Amino acid sequence: MEFGVWTKGLATLAVDCLVLGVFEEGELSGEARAVDSACDGHLKRLLGRGDFVGRPGETLLVGDVPGLKASRVLLTGLGTKKHFQRKAWRRACQAALAVLARTRIVSCAIAIDRPEAKQLDDYYLGRQVAELSGAALYRVNDLKTAKKAPAPSLKKVLAGPVRKPGAAQRGLKEGAAIAAAQTIQRDLANLPANVCTPLYLAEEARALAKRHAGLRAKVLDEAAIRRERMGCLLAVSQGSRQPPRFIVLEYQGAAKGQAPVVLVGKGVTFDSGGISLKDPPGMDEMKFDMSGAAAVIASLTLVAQLRLRLNVVGLVAAVENMPGGRAVKPGDIATSASGQTVEILNTDAEGRLILCDALHYARRFHPAAVIDIATLTGACVVALGHLHAGVMGNDDKLIQELVAAGTRAEDRCWQLPLSEEYAEALKSNFADFANVGGRDGGAIIAAAYLAKFTQGLKWAHLDVAGTAYQSGAQKGSTGRPTPLLADFLIQRATH
Ligand code: BES
Ligand code: MN
Ligand code: ZN
């Protein structure tokens, strides 16, 4: 895929298709008006017939518009002028790219009018165009045997209008890297759990590290994990025939002494619930329970690709959670790497068990910040639905940084309160604490559990159970929160 910016002369631009915006009143946007005068009012006459009214999401592909070098024009609805903001621009761009991806069009110029610069500056315009192009061209890595539909033809996208081409170019470049990282995350998460095992994740991490200069991978096998005394991680893993792996990805983009950002991913390649077995409906979706791990692996390829001036470490705890004769049982007590003992009252609360040992491992890097990413609780989905991820932690500045990154990246998260009282739900008669509390406030209680392992660290926790994948007809990985993490890391590297 090739990206660039156009600066002027839309009518003489040598591309297959011009993408133009139309407001809901059937009014051509400014860029479209300029094109319309070059084609003698052809577009205006078209709209006069009332076949296209400019509603959000509406598109119309028109061939052979006279007076233009481009062989086609694609009209995309902008909604009402009054409500034309970043969201409406994005929707129009998305709708247009979806159409383009279904055609034989190879090159296009996006010439949708844009909202005010404070809504969408040149950098983010470029980034969004590249990210949305990547999403539109994504094809699920299915294992269907029928002949695959031909790959989309689109190879070249020009973005505009822009005032600062340099900023837009940088946005396009970084957006393309984010899209590539999202594809890595989605492909990993969409794989079935019989393919994507802990071993597979480790091999993929190794392979990606080989392909990206500056990225190093180290993999701890079961014996090495035992030497790290990760008793909670091992308790989850012990019921499975698949051995666990602990993956360490390191990227050095700044001075060796500079404290790194450590990302920690939940990599449960299948979460059956263990002895606290889940209900059958939707259980297949627990193959997505390694989405946090996939996002961490993807984000490390991204920082390496962009050569960010930052040190970043990715930690992935990869296990399978299964019932069986050797499986951990409710009431069993495990000793975490931190030395604290945990009464495992529910074997389905396995994510926090593997994360607590991974978070403890993060200490050796003396990190500037630790962020864990996990499909951790159904309660988070109940609380926030599928638009916002939950964010909690022990450092408000870090949390605000993540919230802001999510807003800029259109990959939002929302802070849930995490005060000390929530940990009272974890009281145990037999161990330092239990791995579950009550049902109420479950997303926060899970974070309260993790907080017991992150004292003295600047730590934030992203619960992406509701945002990392979709159910139903569109079932599949969304590639979130890679855009959020990318924005956070780019911001840290450049400020
Ligand atoms: N992987 C699940 C959380 C989850 C649920 C992710 C739904 C995506 C969609 C996690 O391991 C889990 O089972 N959590 C339990 C915790 C409970 C036992 C305290 C849950 O949310 O029910
Ligand atoms: Mn579970
Ligand atoms: Zn889980």
Side-chain angles (χ1 to χ4, degrees):
M1 194 70 172
E2 183 192 337
F3 292 106
V5 296
W6 59 266
T7 43
K8 50 180 184 273
L10 280 172
T12 56
L13 214 55
V15 289
D16 296 337
C17 186
L18 296 180
V19 178
L20 302 172
V22 177
F23 288 109
E24 186 147 332
E25 301 80 17
E27 183 189 333
L28 290 170
S29 69
E31 297 302 334
R33 270 204 305 278
V35 174
D36 196 39
S37 47
C39 63
D40 250 348
H42 189 90
L43 298 176
K44 202 117 195 218
R45 283 194 296 282
L46 207 92
L47 294 177
R49 286 189 218 135
D51 297 346
F52 187 83
V53 292
R55 269 192 290 271
E58 195 185 357
T59 56
L60 182 69
L61 186 60
V62 193
D64 303 319
V65 177
L68 304 182
K69 188 114 193 225
S71 57
R72 309 166 182 85
V73 164
L74 177 59
L75 300 178
T76 183
L78 305 180
T80 59
K81 220 168 191 171
K82 200 166 124 228
H83 293 114
F84 185 59
Q85 291 182 341
R86 198 186 215 221
K87 213 178 255 167
W89 177 90
R90 220 174 112 84
R91 176 98 194 265
C93 196
Q94 226 164 6
L97 286 162
V99 171
L100 293 170
R102 287 197 295 268
T103 67
R104 301 275 286 275
I105 288 167
V106 175
S107 61
C108 72
I110 308 278
I112 305 169
D113 269 29
R114 45 186 298 187
E116 296 172 49
K118 73 170 190 296
Q119 282 270 331
L120 187 72
D121 64 20
D122 288 331
Y123 167 74
Y124 278 100
L125 178 125
R127 220 171 92 174
Q128 291 291 329
V129 164
E131 285 182 49
L132 293 173
S133 301
L137 298 185
Y138 180 74
R139 292 289 172 271
V140 171
N141 51 335
D142 62 46
L143 301 176
K144 295 184 190 204
T145 53
K147 201 162 162 263
K148 295 239 187 286
S153 306
L154 195 61
K155 290 280 174 306
K156 183 175 173 184
V157 177
L158 301 179
V162 298
R163 262 153 300 177
K164 289 181 261 163
Q169 292 279 14
R170 189 169 76 87
L172 287 164
K173 177 179 140 220
E174 297 184 354
I178 294 169
Q182 269 190 294
T183 297
I184 290 173
Q185 181 188 346
R186 294 175 79 173
D187 282 348
L188 281 174
N190 284 334
L191 286 172
N194 62 325
V195 174
C196 185
T197 59
L199 280 175
Y200 183 93
L201 274 182
E203 285 316 310
E204 277 302 297
R206 269 211 187 97
L208 287 166
K210 267 218 183 91
R211 260 191 276 144
H212 288 83
L215 198 56
R216 274 185 308 158
K218 182 169 103 177
V219 176
L220 276 59
D221 64 10
E222 189 160 356
I225 292 171
R226 205 168 295 280
R227 284 196 292 278
E228 293 292 337
R229 300 179 183 278
M230 296 186 175
C232 288
L233 186 156
L234 288 167
V236 175
S237 170
Q238 74 188 41
S240 171
R241 300 282 289 265
Q242 301 293 340
R245 286 293 183 266
F246 191 85
I247 306 164
V248 184
L249 283 165
E250 283 185 83
Y251 168 76
Q252 195 196 325
K256 237 197 174 89
Q258 195 183 97
V261 171
V262 179
L263 304 178
V264 178
K266 171 178 175 183
V268 177
T269 57
F270 188 74
D271 180 12
S272 69
I275 296 297
S276 314
L277 196 62
K278 286 183 180 295
D279 282 340
M283 211 208 265
D284 65 290
E285 293 180 0
M286 284 302 116
K287 73 173 184 177
F288 297 118
D289 213 19
M290 37 58 74
S291 295
V296 168
I297 294 170
S299 296
L300 270 113
T301 65
L302 175 113
V303 294
Q305 170 102 38
L306 293 178
R307 298 178 190 283
L308 293 188
R309 292 168 185 281
L310 194 70
N311 294 334
V312 186
V313 177
L315 302 177
V316 167
V319 301
E320 191 180 62
N321 186 23
M322 293 292 274
R326 283 168 33 149
V328 72
K329 305 169 292 298
D332 285 2
I333 295 177
T335 303
S336 68
S338 74
Q340 301 178 97
T341 56
V342 181
E343 187 182 16
I344 300 175
L345 290 178
N346 189 323
T347 66
D348 198 10
E350 85 297 341
R352 61 198 79 180
L353 293 172
I354 66 172
L355 288 174
C356 72
D357 284 344
L359 286 166
H360 184 75
Y361 191 91
R363 288 184 186 276
R364 72 191 58 193
F365 299 100
H366 305 291
V370 180
I371 303 161
D372 76 75
I373 301 101
T375 46
L376 203 62
T377 65
C380 190
V381 190
V382 173
L384 294 176
H386 303 282
L387 293 175
H388 288 80
V391 60
M392 288 147 271
N394 60 14
D395 187 278
D396 262 314
K397 243 182 89 193
L398 177 61
I399 291 169
Q400 287 320 314
E401 227 178 308
L402 288 165
V403 170
T407 303
R408 287 189 304 261
E410 299 285 346
D411 181 9
R412 275 168 240 275
C413 63
W414 194 262
Q415 184 180 8
L416 298 176
L418 176 59
S419 49
E420 272 164 27
E421 301 91 304
Y422 284 100
E424 283 164 25
L426 297 169
K427 284 222 160 82
S428 160
N429 285 353
F430 303 109
D432 292 340
F433 38 83
N435 74 329
V436 292
R439 199 175 62 111
D440 299 347
I444 303 174
I445 291 173
Y449 173 92
L450 297 176
K452 292 184 176 292
F453 298 85
T454 54
Q455 279 169 17
L457 297 172
K458 282 189 173 44
W459 158 74
H461 155 62
L462 283 167
D463 192 332
V464 294
T467 57
Y469 65 92
Q470 283 183 289
S471 311
Q474 298 295 314
K475 193 189 287 183
S477 170
T478 58
R480 292 177 65 186
T482 288
L484 181 160
L485 294 171
D487 201 288
F488 170 83
L489 294 165
I490 290 169
Q491 201 75 16
R492 279 245 166 165
T494 48
H495 290 83

